[in-house]
């Protein structure tokens, strides 16, 4: 086992839970400094359900982390058990990007305008920080809201409900995120500096709160959406830059947690969506995540059950013509 943080985490519900060890990222200089980063759910403070923790660790050997090397980068109180985000990745710029959901519950219900549009909280946001410090982190000087009163300077983009998984395209650095919807629509966004992705004003391209007549000025709409007739919870993936499926080169591969797999292809500036049907693949598996190797090949992770206690998980590689 590389690292065990169970003693630092909340007690997980084996039947269903959105908390846990949710993200891991290797430092861009991992080959020399052996540093990596994790996102996990610690016990909550006060009335909060849990506390999101992003921490740094260092390898002690080829396959074992030094547990004593743990250094907390940042923490965020979470009012409820769900919508935790949890994805962490380094961009080409060397900075760490961190996804946080809106705090949980239905309809972004915490506060008069919710958290997605509230700029003095990290909830419902993607953050960007510089972790190359002895303690904590630094805020990059070119973050979009560094000099904006009443706004957290770590924020890179906002208006997100639960950006559970995001990724950078190896070819051009574009940041793609699957943002889990409420009751009707799932969406995929290309995340840009300072972008507002609508939640809770909008769910996908549709008004949510208010249900009609919402002001969409300044909102960046998703590059695709699908209704709950096709799925119930989007799992963001990767743009394919590998060698095992040449026909998918440049397409964004993603899925719905309930099983369907999709791709997006940019045709003259418009992202067109299609379905993928892997041959010989069971149709009753939950798709919990995606991965990418150094060569750009893409993998997807499955679970036959709903909860984290399931033991029949598997990893598949995208391959074919």
């Amino acid at each position: 086992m590389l690292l065990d943080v169970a003693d630092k985490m909340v007690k997980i519900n084996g039947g269903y839970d959105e908390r846990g060890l949710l993200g891991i990222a290797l430092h861009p200089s991992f080959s020399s400094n052996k540093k990596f980063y994790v996102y996990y759910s610690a016990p909550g403070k006060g009335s909060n359900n849990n506390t999101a923790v992003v921490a740094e660790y260092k390898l002690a050997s080829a396959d074992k982390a030094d547990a004593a090397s743990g250094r907390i980068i940042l923490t965020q109180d979470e009012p409820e058990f769900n919508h935790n985000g949890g994805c962490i990745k380094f961009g080409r710029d060397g900075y760490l990007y961190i996804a946080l959901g809106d705090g949980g519950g239905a309809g972004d219900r915490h506060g008069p305008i919710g958290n997605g549009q509230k700029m003095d909280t990290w909830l419902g946001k993607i953050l960007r920080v510089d972790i190359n410090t002895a303690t904590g982190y630094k805020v990059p000087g070119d973050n979009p809201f560094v000099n904006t009163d009443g706004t957290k300077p770590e924020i890179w983009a906002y208006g997100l409900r639960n950006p559970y998984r995001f990724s950078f395209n190896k070819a051009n650095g574009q940041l793609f995120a699957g943002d889990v919807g409420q009751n009707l629509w799932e969406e995929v966004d290309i995340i840009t500096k300072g972008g507002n992705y609508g939640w809770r004003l909008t769910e996908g391209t549709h008004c949510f709160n208010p249900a009609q007549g919402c002001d969409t000025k300044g909102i960046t709409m998703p590059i695709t959406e699908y209704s709950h007739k096709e799925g119930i919870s989007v799992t963001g993936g990767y743009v394919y830059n590998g060698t095992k499926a040449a026909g998918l080169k440049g397409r964004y591969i993603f899925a719905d947690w309930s099983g369907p797999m999709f791709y997006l292809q940019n045709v003259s500036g418009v992202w067109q969506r299609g379905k993928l049907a892997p041959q010989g693949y069971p149709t009753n598996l939950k798709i919990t995540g995606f991965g990418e190797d150094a060569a750009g090949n893409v993998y997807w992770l499955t679970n036959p059950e709903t909860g984290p206690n399931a033991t029949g998980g598997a990893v598949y590689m995208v391959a074919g013509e």
Side-chain angles (χ1 to χ4, degrees):
M1 181 180 293
L2 176 67
L3 176 68
D4 186 353
V5 293
D7 63 337
K8 302 178 185 299
M9 289 171 42
V10 295
K11 182 176 175 57
I12 301 300
N13 184 326
Y16 178 78
D17 212 319
E18 294 184 22
R19 303 167 301 176
L21 178 58
L22 301 179
I24 185 169
L26 303 184
H27 191 283
S29 300
F30 174 77
S31 60
S32 57
N33 67 21
K34 307 304 181 184
K35 292 179 179 180
F36 67 98
Y37 301 80
V38 294
Y39 180 125
Y40 62 86
S41 306
K45 303 170 186 174
S47 62
N48 289 291
N49 178 277
N50 68 94
T51 298
V53 177
V54 176
E56 174 189 278
Y57 285 88
K58 191 173 182 179
L59 287 189
S61 62
D63 58 358
K64 189 78 171 178
D66 177 5
S69 70
R71 176 174 77 89
I72 292 179
I73 303 298
L74 57 80
T75 64
Q76 170 64 54
D77 292 334
E78 296 276 0
E80 305 202 34
F81 87 100
N82 57 349
H83 306 181
N84 297 304
C87 191
I88 54 175
K89 291 187 184 298
F90 284 92
R92 284 180 165 183
D93 51 20
Y95 296 133
L96 184 64
Y97 291 72
I98 304 165
L100 288 148
D102 65 8
D108 197 5
R109 66 192 184 189
H110 295 282
I113 63 169
N115 286 319
Q117 297 297 314
K118 195 169 183 285
M119 300 301 284
D120 63 353
T121 178
W122 292 339
L123 296 172
K125 316 295 191 297
I126 290 178
L127 314 181
R128 177 181 184 249
V129 297
D130 179 357
I131 48 70
N132 292 303
T133 61
T135 60
Y137 62 88
K138 294 189 295 186
V139 175
D142 61 345
N143 269 16
F145 303 109
V146 165
N147 297 311
T148 305
D149 290 342
T151 298
K152 294 282 191 182
E154 298 86 354
I155 296 172
W156 182 253
Y158 65 106
L160 297 157
R161 182 177 178 273
N162 189 18
Y164 168 65
R165 287 292 177 255
F166 67 80
S167 67
F168 291 94
N169 182 356
K170 279 182 176 291
N172 60 18
Q174 276 188 318
L175 175 52
F176 289 75
D179 193 19
V180 180
Q182 182 63 51
N183 296 323
L184 297 175
W185 299 96
E186 304 298 311
E187 69 181 81
V188 174
D189 302 291
I190 292 180
I191 303 296
T192 57
K193 179 179 180 178
N196 177 6
Y197 293 87
W199 180 249
R200 70 179 187 185
L201 294 170
T202 57
E203 181 187 11
T205 63
H206 310 267
C207 289
F208 179 82
N209 188 343
Q212 296 180 342
C214 57
D215 183 3
T216 60
K217 183 179 180 181
I219 291 177
T220 300
M221 291 298 175
I223 58 172
T224 195
E225 65 179 2
Y226 61 90
S227 79
H228 281 201
K229 295 179 181 178
E230 293 187 76
I232 58 173
S233 180
V234 66
T235 303
Y238 287 83
V239 173
Y240 191 83
N241 288 293
T243 59
K244 303 297 184 180
L248 295 176
K249 192 82 169 181
R251 299 184 185 187
Y252 177 71
I253 309 299
F254 69 108
D256 190 87
W257 173 81
S258 64
M261 295 185 66
F262 306 100
Y263 68 84
L264 293 176
Q265 182 176 16
N266 192 329
V267 180
S268 301
V270 177
W271 290 92
Q272 297 182 356
R273 181 166 61 93
K275 287 189 174 182
L276 292 174
Q279 295 182 1
Y281 172 67
T283 59
N284 61 341
L285 299 180
K286 310 294 189 296
I287 299 179
T288 57
F290 283 83
E292 180 186 41
D293 65 22
N297 296 307
V298 173
Y299 305 77
W300 74 97
L301 288 69
T302 67
N303 191 332
E305 306 295 337
T306 299
N309 276 0
T311 58
V315 179
Y316 295 83
M317 174 188 277
V318 176
E321 296 298 326

